[in-house]
Amino acid sequence: MNDALKSGLGQVVAFGPVDLPVAVTVVMVVYYTGAPLTESIRRVLTDPDVDEFVLVDNGSTPAEVALVDGAAEQDPRMTVLRGQGNVGFARAVNMGVSVAHGEVIVVLNPDAYLEKNCVRTLHRSLKAQATPTVVGARVMNLDGTEQRGARRGEVTPVTSLLSLTGLARRVPAWQGFEVHHEDDPTPSRGVPVPTISGACFAVRRGDFLAIGGFDTGYFLHVEDVDLCWRIRQGGGQVLFEPRARVVHLGSTSQAWPMKVEFWKGVGLARYFRKRANNLPRRLLAIGLTPAIILASVARPFLRGQMFKSRGGLRH
């Protein structure tokens, strides 16, 4: 078991039997998710392609604790980790994977609803690929449109700033710098892309562990961008699988929008410093850090979300 668990950082409060073969484990991290958690858990546990479900509780209301524990009592496939506090998304996912038994890990947000055959399609798509590979689902809005961030280009300081400020869409000459590609034609099958969304993706457990899991230097956001980059740096590939669909609500947790966007900005700045492979790029990454964080924090103001009570995205 993970050393963090052994040291008391977290504790297993429900642990299902492991005497049966486990092909797919869903790992979910929750943090004051709210009403969508009920449906999200229901869809995981009614999916016939899910062999194991590991839920890492970074923080919940008493009602949410009762919901989670009740589900675990009813379904022996479910494991719950609790007691570590809010250690961030990346570290919590790593904890979940450390106790998982599945050959394939599907990381799923708690405000995301699995659509029919999503897990099966991710699993089949991954099995057909060489190692290491990460496969991202097509993340949808409630209205059936593809969500921003489901498939992205190369995330760089320039593309991030132009995307965060909206200039890449507004200025025709800069449209090539747009990092988000949800408006592009939808492919008929899995295609290579630089970056997919962390809201729902599949990866072999062995591959995830071999590269060290998520970088826990990221507290919230950008850990998925970093993972995709490291997979590609290691000679692997990142695929966007449009046939695997998941509906992602977003804006459900109790985290304040400005706080969420701040962590996104901090994560992006860290990512750019991390991947800068020469002095000029490192100086550029350091110099642009304040602008990146400011652009991230300003987004809730620009979108009129500042005073929404439920403004988080992912924990």
Side-chain angles (χ1 to χ4, degrees), residues 5 31 34 52 66 105 116 118 132 143 150 178 198 216 248 260 267 270 286 294 300 304:
L5 295 177
Y31 180 74
E52 184 181 47
I105 302 295
K116 185 178 180 180
C118 178
D143 62 5
E178 176 55 58
T216 57
H248 183 219
V260 173
R270 183 179 191 278
I286 293 172
L294 180 61

Side-chain angles (χ1 to χ4, degrees), residues 234-284:
Q237 63 178 338
V238 178
L239 297 181
F240 169 70
E241 178 51 82
R243 297 168 295 182
R245 295 162 57 101
V246 61
V247 175
H248 183 219
L249 302 184
S251 300
T252 60
S253 82
Q254 294 178 350
W256 196 32
M258 186 173 178
K259 181 179 179 181
V260 173
E261 296 298 333
F262 169 78
W263 282 113
K264 182 181 293 184
V266 169
L268 281 171
R270 183 179 191 278
Y271 173 66
F272 299 141
R273 293 195 303 272
K274 180 178 177 179
R275 66 174 289 174
N277 56 5
N278 57 47
L279 182 59
R281 289 182 178 178
R282 185 165 183 81
L283 292 175
L284 176 64

Side-chain angles (χ1 to χ4, degrees), residues 154-169:
E154 195 70 57
V155 180
T156 69
V158 173
T159 59
S160 295
L161 274 177
L162 293 180
S163 291
L164 285 169
T165 58
L167 291 173
R169 291 181 181 265

Side-chain angles (χ1 to χ4, degrees), residues 135-292:
V135 182
R138 188 179 186 203
V139 184
M140 313 296 292
N141 295 306
L142 279 171
D143 62 5
T145 59
E146 186 176 312
Q147 195 166 99
R148 183 177 173 88
R151 44 177 162 156
R152 287 168 279 182
E154 195 70 57
V155 180
T156 69
V158 173
T159 59
S160 295
L161 274 177
L162 293 180
S163 291
L164 285 169
T165 58
L167 291 173
R169 291 181 181 265
R170 298 189 185 100
V171 181
W174 293 347
Q175 288 178 357
F177 292 102
E178 176 55 58
V179 72
H180 298 95
H181 298 293
E182 68 273 10
D183 294 328
D184 290 355
T186 305
S188 59
R189 61 184 63 249
V191 294
V193 295
T195 316
I196 49 84
S197 170
C200 181
F201 70 91
V203 64
R204 294 181 183 88
R205 183 174 184 270
D207 290 347
F208 188 80
L209 295 176
I211 65 169
F214 275 139
D215 181 345
T216 57
Y218 299 97
F219 183 77
L220 177 64
H221 287 299
V222 192
E223 68 287 315
D224 52 352
V225 178
D226 181 276
L227 180 72
C228 291
W229 173 63
R230 285 188 288 130
I231 288 281
R232 292 187 287 119
Q233 288 292 107
Q237 63 178 338
V238 178
L239 297 181
F240 169 70
E241 178 51 82
R243 297 168 295 182
R245 295 162 57 101
V246 61
V247 175
H248 183 219
L249 302 184
S251 300
T252 60
S253 82
Q254 294 178 350
W256 196 32
M258 186 173 178
K259 181 179 179 181
V260 173
E261 296 298 333
F262 169 78
W263 282 113
K264 182 181 293 184
V266 169
L268 281 171
R270 183 179 191 278
Y271 173 66
F272 299 141
R273 293 195 303 272
K274 180 178 177 179
R275 66 174 289 174
N277 56 5
N278 57 47
L279 182 59
R281 289 182 178 178
R282 185 165 183 81
L283 292 175
L284 176 64
I286 293 172
L288 288 178
T289 292
I292 292 169

Side-chain angles (χ1 to χ4, degrees), residues 18 24 42 46 61 64 66 72 74 101 109 126 140 144 157 169 173 195 214 216 220 243 258 260 283 302 306 312:
V18 296
V24 178
R42 186 192 72 80
T46 56
T61 65
E64 290 165 353
Q74 294 295 318
H101 300 87
N109 274 17
L126 186 63
M140 313 296 292
R169 291 181 181 265
T195 316
F214 275 139
T216 57
L220 177 64
R243 297 168 295 182
M258 186 173 178
V260 173
L283 292 175
L302 297 175
M306 193 61 200

Side-chain angles (χ1 to χ4, degrees), residues 105-118:
I105 302 295
V106 174
V107 177
L108 179 70
N109 274 17
D111 56 355
Y113 299 159
L114 292 172
E115 295 286 273
K116 185 178 180 180
N117 293 330
C118 178

